Amino acid sequence: MPLVALDCRFETLPGPLPMQRATVTREQWRAAPAAVAEVGGRLVSLWGSDRRGLDGGFAVSAAYALAEGLAWLSLPIADAAQPSYPDIARAFPAAGRMQRACRDLLGLVAEDAVDQRPWLRHGAWPEDYFPLRREHGGLESFAATPESYPFVRVEGDGVHEIAVGPVHAGIIEPGHFRFAVVGERVLRLEQHLGYTHKGIEKLFESTAPLDGHRLAGRVSGDSTVAYAWAYCMALESIAACRISPRASWLRALLLERERVANHLGDLGALGNDAALGFGLAQFSRLKEDWLRLNRELFGHRFMMDRVVPGGVDVDLDAAGGEGIRRQCDAIEAEVRTLKEIYEGHGGLQDRFLTTGRVSPQLAGQLGLCGMAGRASGEASDLRMDFPWVPYDELQATMASHRNGDVAARVTVRFEEIFESLRLIREIVARLPQGTPLVALNPLPANGIGAGWIEGWRGDVLVTMELEAGAIRRCHCHDPSWQNWPLLEHAVMDNIVPDFPLINKSFNLSYSGQDL
Amino acid sequence: MWHILKQIVKNGLRTEPAPQGNDDWRVERAEPERIRAELLAILGRALTIRLVDAGSCNGCELELNALTNPYYNIEGLGIKFVASPRHADMLMVTGPVSRHMVVALQRTWQAMPAPKLVVAVGDCGCTGGLFGESYASCGKVANVIPVDVAIPGCPPPPLDLLRGILTAIRSRK
Ligand code: SF4
């Protein structure tokens, strides 16, 4: 590990992906961002935990992605009365909102952080109530004291504000967008999220470890397979349980089907947002066919609760495999035709090209990740970077572009559909024999584990700590945390009517980041 | 152009005469037509729906979006999702109601004209689902605004959503 420069002792977390954890000192915590940035690493997540009663006060954790794998650094905070830790948002701006959330939920303060405004707390609970602290059960309820959020004001000749949300015009999740515009041109966008915060991380504390995959699978419904897999991976890593090869292959089958379903839906919506209703009709029909086969073979259109601790609770017979193969062929032919139509459609290309651009330089600086990152030159995808079973045998190729505009994200989505269809056919053809579900080893009373999965939007991380057989802390990280701030940049200098199009090209999760 | 015209003239009219009716084949009026007629009889117009996600995991939104695909063709039935609550006969609400969405949900409901039908969507909307009530969640939709129909499922598939919508309409017969 290049982090060896920090001279901290890493402990390997058992699991299919390389993941290590170390307890660090304040100096090491402070030095880590520069050391990580120097070797081209990125911040995956930042979160806090209440460790009073275990080994002292609180702790703040940061997970970094390095070429060697995931490095999880945990900094103990002894001062339980005024817990604080050194800010890392100057080096990794994506940490900013996570640090603010960490304060809202636990009362841990990032010292000297530039932005100290609340993020997930809007006034539904008091400023001095920190739900993730051990003394609170989480069932308390308070009279709401609505607080007005101090948006950054843009002033100047002809500048006016457009406030949108939390209720948006379509069938989408809630959030608030504050545009500062001159005429049609967007000068600045500021987001205010947290509206769907429903206390998921607190709920984990009262959830049985063997049931938690259901809750994790509802952090962001469109990524239910990715979350359930990451959760199960964390649990299996604590239990030192090896799932069967067949289970891993079936999990990958579900994960790739989830990826295709989301890309199909979004490609249709992108056509529609650029006034090509035909695209929506065509792609939504394909997506419906796709979901119906999920339902037929796996009993659920979105495959919720199919990935379970110890494996999967579905199986695939020869007839099912044949059905999948035939569907992949049919969908591939249709998507190729539609791709040609999209690419040859002047009006559509006019809207897609150069719209909502995130340059590779900005993407690197601010840590754009996942599918959107790959459209802006950030070549990272866990399936290729750390190919675990079955990706180690599938040799998936990464879609990667540099233009960073809506058109590039559309191209990446098309390419990922074709690659996932290929992977799905491979998986079905080479599915190993065996049982899809093994009994989990008895869980040790105490343990620490992590699961890391490339969902359709980007990498999902679940970290877990068990104490006395119960979940002490389970943190779920959505890639939307990193990408929402980039959306603010992507719309600058575009016209207001292009915002829905740009937004859809990312299609970030509100629920996933609100928790 | 000349080639096209020549081709048309050469081929002439190929349409075959329509067959005679066969009374044995008569079935009940097709379901879509019946639904349309029912909407007209009860509301006197097409049905407009406003959706509010009050804290869902976005799974229910996936199915509400699926309901608008060509297979279900709800606009053909006279059912339409609209952007403004002021244009809406029905409010569909997904998710447990997060405490942060209470005000927005209440305001949306207040802005609607009568009959203000409310349909709670999904296990979360029906009971609070896995999320229940807590410092952050008010639980089921009925804890915040009056609900006419609650559609179970996690998430409810499109046909169940359609059934729920029709049930709510009929409740106002
Ligand atoms: S009912 Fe299920 S799908 Fe719908 S919001 Fe709740 S958890 Fe998500």
Side-chain angles (χ1 to χ4, degrees):
Chain A
M1 284 249 171
L3 278 179
V4 128
L6 298 177
D7 192 29
C8 44
R9 235 178 311 134
F10 278 101
E11 167 201 333
T12 299
L13 301 170
L17 280 90
M19 295 182 284
Q20 309 206 10
R21 183 177 183 279
T23 302
V24 296
T25 63
R26 275 177 70 89
E27 284 58 48
Q28 290 168 332
W29 172 271
R30 225 187 253 125
V36 170
E38 204 185 302
V39 295
R42 64 190 173 92
L43 176 78
V44 178
S45 184
L46 180 143
W47 69 102
S49 48
D50 182 348
R51 301 185 59 82
R52 287 172 300 167
L54 274 180
D55 54 11
F58 294 90
V60 61
S61 291
Y64 295 103
L66 303 164
E68 291 79 2
L70 186 89
W72 169 359
L73 307 185
S74 172
L75 170 69
I77 303 173
D79 182 357
Q82 305 256 308
S84 69
Y85 59 93
D87 164 68
I88 61 166
R90 282 185 175 79
F92 289 106
R97 289 177 178 179
M98 302 180 210
Q99 290 181 165
R100 290 160 66 190
C102 183
R103 183 196 196 135
D104 292 342
L105 300 177
L106 263 163
L108 311 186
V109 177
E111 296 151 18
D112 309 320
V114 180
D115 194 342
Q116 300 274 5
R117 292 174 296 172
W119 180 244
L120 291 184
R121 189 185 65 81
H122 294 192
W125 61 93
E127 204 178 350
D128 58 356
Y129 170 83
F130 302 110
L132 287 183
R133 289 199 175 180
R134 302 293 293 176
E135 60 265 35
H136 303 308
L139 300 182
E140 300 82 359
S141 75
F142 306 94
T145 46
E147 289 173 12
S148 66
Y149 185 73
F151 287 98
V152 175
R153 289 192 70 90
V154 178
E155 278 163 12
D157 223 14
V159 178
H160 69 283
E161 283 190 340
I162 308 177
V164 182
V167 178
H168 294 161
I171 304 176
I172 32 173
E173 299 179 76
H176 186 94
F177 298 130
R178 189 67 60 96
F179 297 90
V181 301
V182 170
E184 286 252 279
R185 200 162 63 92
V186 178
L187 290 183
R188 191 173 193 282
L189 162 66
E190 187 172 3
Q191 299 150 356
H192 185 215
L193 305 177
Y195 286 93
T196 70
H197 178 73
K198 43 197 171 284
I200 291 179
E201 296 200 311
K202 189 68 185 176
L203 264 177
F204 271 117
E205 292 176 16
S206 53
T207 302
L210 291 177
D211 283 343
H213 62 286
R214 299 187 59 236
L215 187 55
R218 283 159 180 80
V219 168
S220 181
D222 56 20
S223 306
T224 181
V225 175
Y227 272 98
W229 193 349
Y231 178 91
C232 291
M233 190 186 280
L235 199 68
E236 287 150 8
S237 109
I238 294 178
C241 163
R242 275 180 167 274
I243 59 169
S244 71
R246 188 176 182 84
S248 296
W249 284 66
L250 283 169
R251 282 181 180 180
L253 173 67
L254 304 190
L255 186 70
E256 297 308 321
R257 287 192 69 86
E258 178 167 278
R259 193 179 318 279
V260 171
N262 281 291
H263 285 338
L264 287 176
D266 287 349
L267 283 171
L270 279 159
N272 200 46
D273 282 341
L276 185 66
F278 159 87
L280 178 63
Q282 295 293 320
F283 275 108
S284 64
R285 173 178 66 88
L286 298 182
K287 182 174 179 185
E288 180 70 19
D289 289 340
W290 194 254
L291 299 180
R292 287 182 178 186
L293 191 62
N294 283 348
R295 168 83 205 236
E296 199 183 309
L297 296 177
F298 309 121
H300 193 284
R301 285 160 57 92
F302 301 97
M303 304 168 293
M304 274 178 167
D305 307 329
R306 271 40 190 181
V307 175
V308 299
V312 286
D313 102 351
V314 290
D315 208 349
L316 190 69
D317 59 14
E322 179 55 23
I324 288 182
R325 207 190 49 72
R326 247 184 289 122
Q327 188 188 48
C328 285
D329 292 348
I331 297 258
E332 173 152 9
E334 297 257 5
V335 176
R336 289 209 185 274
T337 306
L338 291 171
K339 180 166 184 268
E340 251 167 59
I341 293 176
Y342 268 34
E343 281 171 355
H345 193 287
L348 208 59
Q349 290 306 315
D350 185 42
R351 294 287 302 279
F352 286 179
L353 284 164
T354 71
T355 305
R357 189 155 186 270
V358 178
S359 68
Q361 193 202 359
L362 193 66
Q365 266 166 15
L366 300 186
L368 188 68
C369 69
M371 178 275 297
R374 293 192 282 280
S376 289
E378 286 290 300
S380 114
D381 185 324
L382 300 183
R383 297 173 299 161
M384 296 89 190
D385 298 343
F386 311 107
W388 70 99
V389 188
Y391 294 103
D392 55 345
E393 290 188 37
L394 293 172
Q395 266 119 34
T397 34
M398 196 186 304
S400 182
H401 284 266
R402 295 188 57 78
N403 282 352
D405 52 3
V406 172
R409 288 184 284 277
V410 166
T411 305
V412 166
R413 285 171 184 273
F414 272 117
E415 287 178 11
E416 293 195 354
I417 288 181
F418 296 133
E419 183 60 3
S420 290
L421 291 173
R422 183 186 75 78
L423 295 176
I424 291 171
R425 279 181 291 229
E426 278 285 286
I427 292 172
V428 167
R430 297 168 52 191
L431 194 61
Q433 295 301 318
T435 163
L437 187 61
V438 297
L440 211 58
N441 302 339
L443 278 173
N446 304 314
I448 290 180
W452 198 20
I453 290 292
E454 188 77 28
W456 73 268
R457 198 179 266 121
D459 54 330
V460 160
L461 177 72
V462 173
T463 62
M464 196 187 315
E465 219 170 311
L466 295 187
E467 187 207 7
I471 297 177
R472 166 97 188 187
R473 178 83 172 95
C474 178
H475 170 67
C476 295
H477 177 86
D478 196 275
S480 303
W481 279 102
Q482 272 87 346
N483 292 1
W484 274 117
L486 262 302
L487 178 62
E488 291 184 341
H489 288 269
V491 298
M492 273 185 209
D493 271 337
N494 284 261
I495 56 171
V496 177
D498 273 340
F499 174 71
L501 184 65
I502 299 169
N503 189 25
K504 188 47 95 177
S505 70
F506 287 88
N507 194 5
L508 302 174
S509 174
Y510 299 70
S511 181
Q513 92 100 51
D514 292 352
L515 290 166
Chain B
M1 192 64 185
W2 166 244
H3 293 294
I4 294 178
L5 285 174
K6 202 171 102 185
Q7 185 76 359
I8 291 172
V9 171
K10 199 175 82 192
N11 275 292
L13 284 178
R14 294 296 186 94
T15 311
E16 292 170 341
Q20 295 290 307
N22 181 343
D23 272 350
D24 293 344
W25 290 356
R26 265 174 66 163
V27 284
E28 281 263 6
R29 248 208 294 184
E31 189 64 9
E33 228 177 287
R34 206 177 49 71
I35 293 172
R36 252 193 317 264
E38 212 169 335
L39 286 176
L40 282 177
I42 298 168
L43 283 176
R45 56 175 181 269
L47 173 72
T48 51
I49 306 175
R50 169 69 245 197
L51 165 90
V52 170
D53 171 344
S56 93
C57 77
N58 78 29
C60 282
E61 278 59 42
L62 295 176
E63 289 298 41
L64 282 158
N65 272 312
L67 186 59
T68 64
N69 77 35
Y71 282 100
Y72 304 105
N73 188 23
I74 52 162
E75 296 212 359
L77 301 178
I79 302 173
K80 193 174 164 198
F81 284 92
V82 292
S84 170
R86 298 196 191 282
H87 302 159
D89 306 300
M90 177 184 287
L91 183 62
M92 293 185 89
V93 187
T94 62
V97 182
S98 77
R99 294 195 188 267
H100 289 158
M101 279 302 289
V102 170
V103 173
L105 176 61
Q106 284 169 338
R107 284 194 193 156
T108 305
W109 182 75
Q110 278 154 8
M112 288 171 62
K116 280 187 195 286
L117 290 165
V118 178
V119 174
V121 176
D123 288 352
C124 290
C126 293
T127 65
L130 276 187
F131 308 106
E133 289 175 39
S134 69
Y135 75 95
S137 161
C138 299
K140 63 181 175 185
V141 177
N143 287 346
V144 179
I145 54 171
V147 169
D148 295 278
V149 167
I151 309 172
C154 183
L159 277 181
D160 282 358
L161 293 172
L162 193 51
R163 278 187 200 110
I165 292 170
L166 298 174
T167 310
I169 295 292
R170 284 176 197 145
S171 75
R172 292 299 166 100
K173 228 178 209 168

